Amino acid sequence: MKGKFKINKDKIGRLLPEIFESRGYGKEGFNLIKNIGALASSIDLKAFIIGGFVRDVLLYSLLKDKKTFQRYKKAKIFLKNELDLDVIVLGSAHRLTSLLSKDHPGIFKIERIKLHKDFGTSSVVFSVNGKPLKIDFASSRTESYRSHGALPSVNINGSTLSEDVVRRDFTINTIALSLNPEDLFSLKDTAGGISDILDKKISILHDLSFNDDPTRIFRAVRFEQRLGFRISGKTLSVMKEALNGNSMDGVSGKRIVSEFDHFFNENSPWIFFERLKKLGALKSVHQCLSFEGINKEAFKNISMNSIRYSFGKKGSQKLFIIFMAALLCSLPPALFDDVSKRLGLDSRVKGRIYLINREISDLEGLSMNFVKNMKGSEIYKILKKFSDEGLIYYVLREKWDKINKGIYLREGILDYLAKIRFVKPSLTGDDLKKAGITEGKLCGQVLGELKLLKIDGMLRTKTDELSYVLQNYGNKE
Ligand code: ATP
């Protein structure tokens, strides 16, 4: 395998424009990274893209190659629509980003810039071809951990690339791509990352890695399952030791939930939780956090069905609540409170999960009220009191293609979520006033009536609505 794969800077130089084009950044994306390298060079700094983007570029080249395509075809790369790059600067990242923002307004279109003085990092959102492209700049550093699971102390000490990479999670995320013109697109692989990509292996950089930061256990699973790789034998045994040593106890609920949220945004999130369960990582968070029985069934079906469902506005928040509800749905109330406390869920999130549980049982009781070809207005009257998440959870939690006794309720919910709830009368309160309906309560009642008639297709245009109002309420005030 290793002998067959050749990558060099010319090949990367050919692939990168293609990658930026395919993500909607046009030629500008490619030019942006070259300009960053030229600017770094002009002030004697060295800049490299490092981490996930470089890993995915290498995988992209393996997927493009007929000889290697079969071996990597399961890898899901560049999952997000917007690219997210990490640049490491040998020297001061702030010097580079201040220059980017101040002296070159014509070259770099910047939407937002945030400097973190203590950490020597800056986060810049560029506008590239009208699309945001976020680049995090960091000065090379070493990090040390005072206690397991806590955030590290940072030493920005002008470290070299090979010293800097030791703080990273896995070898596959340590490959650096030079941006300086004199060395453009050459790869610096100081920790054997390319070899591990070719072997499809997730390996940590040192034996204390999971103790230093146990959230890397979740990250290992994330990359393993997403890329179709496997966690190496050595890494697996170090992971098990960390789990047996209760290292997860030192990690805050917030950090754990943020890792869960990453899984929710992957393709097929359930596969990741299945793996976490097998490794004992869920139990290490809380003894009662399980992934079996009804919560696994619900979670799995939501994972599979959600691809076919559009969540609309605030979709990722809704998805988060729905997956959390599925994870916790089988817990009795006292344990639910205990697990929520461990996960640091605030009362708003807890309240929304409670509500889903209550609404699910209310909806189950309603399935007899739903019949074939039911009028939209009837569906609206019944479902308007439910939350979006409760309704979405209800329709997604069962096998999508399994016909069961609640089929008409499910059809009604889908129709409600996709269309019915968005129907609004064309007339406004002001229009009604002009038509002589001045009393507030009556005005609300008429608008409600118009909405129901419009849902059922009885009123199509604004003129239809106005004639209806004049006919039925013309002389009533
Ligand atoms: P994705 O493809 O999901 O965006 P990524 O590899 O880009 O993942 P990020 O979470 O964006 O990962 O982090 C960027 C880089 O920072 C990683 O590639 C890794 O080198 C490093 N990193 C992030 N989190 C950790 C961590 N907990 N421990 C060590 N290194 C980390």
Side-chain angles (χ1 to χ4, degrees):
M1 175 68 233
K2 285 183 192 172
K4 281 191 205 158
F5 179 69
K6 298 254 178 309
I7 186 104
N8 56 32
K9 48 187 178 179
D10 297 332
K11 192 164 176 186
I12 293 184
R14 282 196 302 277
L15 290 177
L16 283 175
E18 205 176 296
I19 289 169
F20 283 108
E21 291 271 355
S22 72
R23 315 300 298 177
Y25 294 107
K27 286 191 181 59
E28 275 185 44
F30 181 62
N31 290 337
L32 171 74
I33 58 166
K34 284 206 304 185
N35 285 332
I36 290 172
L39 192 64
S41 214
S42 75
I43 49 171
D44 282 334
L45 295 176
K46 285 195 186 306
F48 301 86
I49 304 183
I50 196 161
F53 180 75
V54 184
R55 174 199 71 218
D56 286 353
V57 169
L58 293 184
L59 281 165
Y60 181 86
S61 82
L62 287 157
L63 278 162
K64 291 276 293 183
D65 191 321
K66 275 194 225 109
K67 292 195 283 291
T68 46
F69 166 75
Q70 277 298 333
R71 191 171 152 76
Y72 293 90
K73 65 175 193 242
K74 286 200 182 124
K76 313 274 183 312
I77 56 171
F78 301 120
L79 267 184
K80 284 171 280 177
N81 182 32
E82 282 164 17
L83 289 175
D84 198 341
L85 272 50
D86 292 287
V87 167
I88 191 88
V89 180
L90 301 190
S92 165
H94 279 174
R95 259 186 82 208
L96 180 61
T97 45
S98 350
L99 212 64
L100 277 172
S101 55
K102 287 190 194 117
D103 296 355
H104 296 269
I107 303 179
F108 303 106
K109 286 183 215 135
I110 293 178
E111 278 184 12
R112 278 196 313 279
I113 179 160
K114 223 181 190 173
L115 302 182
H116 306 276
K117 287 224 168 71
D118 296 347
F119 295 105
T121 56
S122 5
S123 191
V124 186
V125 180
F126 295 90
S127 168
V128 182
N129 211 18
K131 203 177 155 174
L133 191 149
K134 178 163 166 264
I135 305 188
D136 286 328
F137 293 86
S139 311
S140 59
R141 82 252 331 266
T142 54
E143 288 178 350
S144 50
Y145 289 81
R146 277 191 216 103
S147 66
H148 296 167
L151 292 173
S153 328
V154 174
N155 314 302
I156 307 163
N157 47 11
S159 50
T160 62
L161 208 50
S162 43
E163 285 162 345
D164 178 276
V165 298
V166 178
R167 71 185 167 91
R168 294 184 182 271
D169 47 4
F170 310 111
T171 56
I172 58 165
N173 290 336
T174 62
I175 308 155
L177 179 73
S178 170
L179 295 182
N180 288 57
E182 60 279 13
D183 203 14
L184 191 62
F185 303 143
S186 74
L187 291 171
K188 311 286 171 203
D189 180 20
T190 53
I194 295 183
S195 157
D196 276 351
I197 287 184
L198 296 177
D199 286 342
K200 304 214 295 179
K201 248 181 10 201
I202 309 288
S203 315
I204 40 173
L205 285 128
H206 57 86
D207 287 358
L208 288 176
S209 186
F210 291 125
N211 283 317
D212 283 347
D213 182 354
T215 64
R216 289 175 189 160
I217 294 171
F218 298 111
R219 292 178 64 85
V221 169
R222 183 160 127 210
F223 297 122
E224 182 195 53
Q225 299 302 312
R226 181 203 293 172
L227 303 177
F229 281 25
R230 76 197 143 75
I231 299 170
S232 78
K234 175 78 195 304
T235 298
L236 210 51
S237 74
V238 175
M239 183 188 283
K240 291 207 167 130
E241 261 173 52
L243 286 169
N244 292 337
N246 299 329
S247 63
M248 203 60 83
D249 291 355
V251 184
S252 71
K254 239 186 173 160
R255 291 189 72 203
I256 292 168
V257 169
S258 147
E259 293 300 327
F260 284 4
D261 201 21
H262 280 299
F263 293 127
F264 300 158
N265 287 290
E266 296 282 339
N267 289 341
S268 307
W270 72 274
I271 290 168
F272 297 76
F273 279 86
E274 184 73 1
R275 179 70 166 137
L276 290 175
K277 181 183 81 177
K278 286 215 173 98
L279 291 168
L282 289 178
K283 290 259 178 284
S284 81
V285 173
H286 190 291
Q287 213 29 50
C288 299
L289 196 58
S290 66
F291 194 65
E292 53 211 5
I294 55 163
N295 72 339
K296 177 175 159 183
E297 268 310 290
F299 194 100
K300 191 172 167 184
N301 289 328
I302 292 167
S303 285
M304 296 199 288
N305 297 332
S306 57
I307 302 164
R308 298 182 239 183
Y309 183 79
S310 154
F311 286 85
K313 244 165 89 188
K314 300 204 174 155
S316 65
Q317 275 180 37
K318 284 181 203 154
L319 201 64
F320 171 77
I321 297 287
I322 288 166
F323 276 125
M324 285 307 292
L327 268 188
L328 306 178
C329 71
S330 58
L331 293 171
L335 279 180
F336 173 77
D337 282 342
D338 210 43
V339 176
S340 303
K341 192 165 162 208
R342 168 66 184 106
L343 294 175
L345 301 184
D346 60 34
S347 52
R348 191 189 53 91
V349 170
K350 273 177 72 179
R352 284 164 79 178
I353 296 176
Y354 264 131
L355 185 66
I356 290 183
N357 274 332
R358 215 189 55 221
E359 290 184 336
I360 291 301
S361 60
D362 288 354
L363 283 164
E364 270 159 2
L366 283 177
S367 66
M368 300 302 282
N369 302 27
F370 279 72
V371 290
K372 203 172 177 181
N373 299 328
M374 202 161 150
K375 271 164 77 177
S377 57
E378 292 304 313
I379 296 174
Y380 175 78
K381 280 190 246 168
I382 302 175
L383 297 183
K384 69 177 179 186
K385 66 172 196 277
F386 289 93
S387 71
D388 280 6
E389 288 127 348
L391 294 172
I392 296 170
Y393 188 99
Y394 184 87
V395 285
L396 296 187
R397 76 183 171 148
E398 280 175 45
K399 282 206 178 73
W400 195 264
D401 41 12
K402 196 177 103 188
I403 308 266
N404 59 19
K405 61 179 167 33
I407 184 77
Y408 298 122
L409 170 58
R410 180 191 300 187
E411 273 175 19
I413 294 177
L414 286 172
D415 209 17
Y416 173 84
L417 287 169
K419 286 196 300 242
I420 297 175
R421 67 185 166 140
F422 299 116
V423 175
K424 270 199 192 130
S426 308
L427 291 183
T428 62
D430 280 346
D431 293 326
L432 292 187
K433 261 190 209 153
K434 280 184 206 146
I437 301 175
T438 49
E439 199 235 312
K441 202 167 160 206
L442 182 61
C443 194
Q445 183 196 314
V446 174
L447 286 174
E449 235 175 273
L450 292 175
K451 182 178 177 118
L452 295 179
L453 289 162
K454 193 164 176 180
I455 290 173
D456 290 338
M458 315 285 278
L459 302 174
R460 293 185 187 277
T461 63
K462 195 170 176 176
T463 320
D464 288 349
E465 289 178 23
L466 197 59
S467 334
Y468 174 85
V469 170
L470 293 175
Q471 221 167 42
N472 291 281
Y473 295 92
N475 301 320
K476 294 205 173 158
E477 274 203 316

